[in-house]
Amino acid sequence: MNTALKHWKEAATLILAAGHRFGADTLSARTPPRSSRFDYDVLLLKRSGKSGFMPNAYVFPGGVVDSSDFSSEWLDVFKSSRDSPSFGLKTVKQPAETRPPIFATDRQKLGSPIPGEVAFRICALRETFEESGVLLCVSTVEGKRLLESIEDRGDPGPHCNANSLCSSELTKWRALVNQNPSNFIRMCRELQVLPNIWALHEWSNWLTPRGRYGVNRFDTAFFICCLQDVPHTLQDEREIVHFQWSTPSDVLQSYQAKELWIAPPQFYELSRMCRFPLLDDLHDFASQRAAEGCERWTPVVFSKDEQYISLLPGDRLYPSDTSGEIKVDASADPQDETELHRLVMADSYTATLQITIPLKYKHLLPVVEPTVSQSSKSQL
């Protein structure tokens, strides 16, 4: 945990996709589909109206990293995999000097033996359990099998399952973890389970723009995970007041119809997920692409007739200083730029993406209409 950060806090979030098979207790939480093209849904959680950060927004599960996510006690929990580099996670090809700070920071110099790639996955899994009741863990025996599969094939295999514990155990431990995040370690020890860090694939990294959503800013690692079936899900009735499982295109249509509000990262990520209507394809792409790495996007907000949110460093025209602030000429006309990676907001529910550059690290561009083919230009 990096306590030296002055301008923002580190966080992790999980894009959770699940196949279209529902239990009776989950059917009521699924929004009626507008499109049958997708064979999976994505979990969105509605933040409380009392929240100090993005009140009433629909977000992916996640939250701020806790010191316990970097605790040395995880070495004992992961004793079967701690001798493997990054606990058996895939090696990222991206050069260390170009890795986002959230992943590049040497955590041992900060006093933790837990690599950032591991700790932020633990954070995403813990927060998902706290906020939605979805627990992604494997038994210690299954964990050994996963590691063997990774060593043999370089991949943990098909989509995983969630919530293998009985409901009473889940309820008990969820309450304890909500009381104290360190109880997540205790739970894993007592139940002899491992957080399924191998099911989470590195996806992107977003830094909250200054002054856009209050005083709080977060440098957030985004991971993606594909489940075979939609698991039993519950809101926590504190930070989260509602949850729903919907296809990416349905969420975007609900947003445009002003039925719900999503922030730019959710808008962008759901838009590019529209390239994969099939869960198998999404899983295969996410698993293979994760080894390429990612770059941190630092939005810059221009205020004119419309709001232009420039997604740095895609807009290569502006360098950032050591605090993550972008030095821009706010009076410049964004339409004059030739290398664009921008979200244009006519109002809170009308967004258009302007992209004239290819994305790095073999990532996908968003699309207007769900499509499988990738183009070099896209406008949503």
Side-chain angles (χ1 to χ4, degrees):
M1 187 170 178
N2 195 349
T3 57
L5 292 173
K6 298 179 180 180
H7 303 279
W8 52 75
K9 297 178 181 179
E10 293 177 318
T13 195
L14 180 58
I15 304 172
L16 197 57
H20 277 168
R21 283 190 292 175
F22 295 83
D25 56 356
T26 315
L27 281 170
S28 60
R30 187 177 187 235
T31 56
R34 290 182 168 96
S35 170
S36 60
R37 295 184 66 253
F38 289 80
D39 70 351
Y40 67 90
D41 285 329
V42 178
L43 176 61
L44 286 176
L45 308 176
K46 184 180 181 181
R47 297 181 62 83
S48 167
K50 300 178 181 179
S51 174
F53 182 74
M54 293 189 186
N56 297 311
Y58 278 75
V59 298
F60 304 126
V64 178
V65 70
D66 186 78
S67 59
S68 64
D69 299 325
F70 281 95
S71 171
S72 60
E73 293 183 56
W74 284 113
L75 291 176
D76 183 57
V77 175
F78 284 97
K79 56 188 174 185
S80 62
S81 60
R82 66 188 181 192
D83 292 333
S84 302
S86 294
F87 292 38
L89 293 171
K90 273 186 176 181
T91 301
V92 176
K93 302 174 186 176
Q94 185 178 5
E97 62 271 17
T98 64
R99 290 286 278 157
I102 197 169
F103 293 120
T105 300
D106 187 339
R107 302 294 165 169
Q108 286 192 328
K109 291 183 178 179
L110 298 177
S112 172
I114 309 300
E117 290 89 346
V118 174
F120 286 107
R121 282 172 168 84
I122 291 173
C123 172
L125 292 167
R126 174 182 55 76
E127 286 284 344
T128 297
F129 182 44
E130 290 181 23
E131 294 181 337
S132 69
V134 176
L135 178 63
L136 299 173
C137 283
V138 295
S139 68
T140 52
V141 174
E142 189 179 351
K144 291 180 181 179
R145 292 199 197 103
L146 278 173
L147 282 173
E148 291 172 359
S149 176
I150 293 171
E151 291 174 358
D152 293 341
R153 302 187 306 167
D155 185 85
H159 340 304
C160 65
N161 290 308
N163 298 356
S164 58
L165 303 179
C166 66
S167 59
S168 59
E169 285 282 6
L170 282 172
T171 301
K172 166 191 167 183
W173 283 108
R174 186 186 180 202
L176 289 171
V177 174
N178 265 302
Q179 290 173 10
N180 188 335
S182 67
N183 281 326
F184 197 48
I185 304 174
R186 178 185 159 200
M187 180 197 77
C188 291
R189 277 178 167 164
E190 292 193 17
L191 299 180
Q192 296 186 337
V193 296
L194 304 173
N196 195 351
I197 59 174
W198 306 282
L200 273 60
H201 306 295
E202 183 179 316
W203 187 257
S204 59
N205 178 203
W206 291 77
L207 175 62
T208 312
R210 184 177 181 180
R212 177 71 173 166
Y213 302 105
V215 296
N216 295 323
R217 300 181 66 195
F218 302 95
D219 186 8
T220 306
F222 278 60
F223 299 98
I224 191 167
C225 174
C226 297
L227 302 178
Q228 290 182 341
D229 310 312
V230 172
H232 176 66
T233 315
L234 291 170
Q235 60 263 21
D236 65 4
E237 298 298 349
R238 296 186 305 129
E239 297 178 38
I240 305 302
V241 296
H242 178 69
F243 72 88
Q244 71 177 51
W245 290 91
S246 305
T247 69
S249 62
D250 283 353
V251 176
L252 294 172
Q253 290 179 54
S254 294
Y255 165 69
Q256 292 163 349
K258 302 184 179 181
E259 297 168 1
L260 56 79
W261 185 79
I262 54 177
Q266 281 71 27
F267 179 86
Y268 191 101
E269 301 299 3
L270 289 166
S271 297
R272 62 177 168 188
M273 287 177 73
C274 285
R275 291 196 176 275
F276 294 109
L278 300 182
L279 185 65
D280 285 346
D281 293 340
L282 175 64
H283 169 79
D284 290 345
F285 171 79
S287 176
Q288 294 170 19
R289 195 224 61 83
E292 302 296 327
C294 68
E295 58 185 348
R296 184 172 72 182
W297 288 345
T298 310
V300 175
V301 181
F302 296 84
S303 293
K304 292 210 168 207
D305 295 335
E306 297 173 311
Q307 291 182 335
Y308 293 83
I309 302 178
S310 179
L311 304 178
L312 278 293
D315 254 299
R316 303 176 189 140
L317 305 176
Y318 305 123
S320 61
D321 60 26
T322 55
S323 70
E325 299 303 325
I326 309 299
K327 300 175 181 178
V328 301
D329 179 3
S331 65
D333 182 1
Q335 297 289 13
D336 290 341
E337 315 293 2
T338 57
E339 293 185 322
L340 300 178
H341 190 200
R342 291 196 171 148
L343 182 65
V344 182
M345 306 287 294
D347 57 52
S348 296
Y349 295 91
T350 306
T352 302
L353 278 164
Q354 298 177 340
I355 304 176
T356 60
I357 61 171
L359 298 185
K360 294 181 179 179
Y361 309 113
K362 297 185 180 180
H363 227 318
L364 290 172
L365 290 168
V367 292
V368 182
E369 298 292 338
T371 181
V372 176
S373 61
Q374 181 176 358
S375 62
S376 61
K377 295 185 180 182
S378 176
Q379 186 176 15
L380 181 66

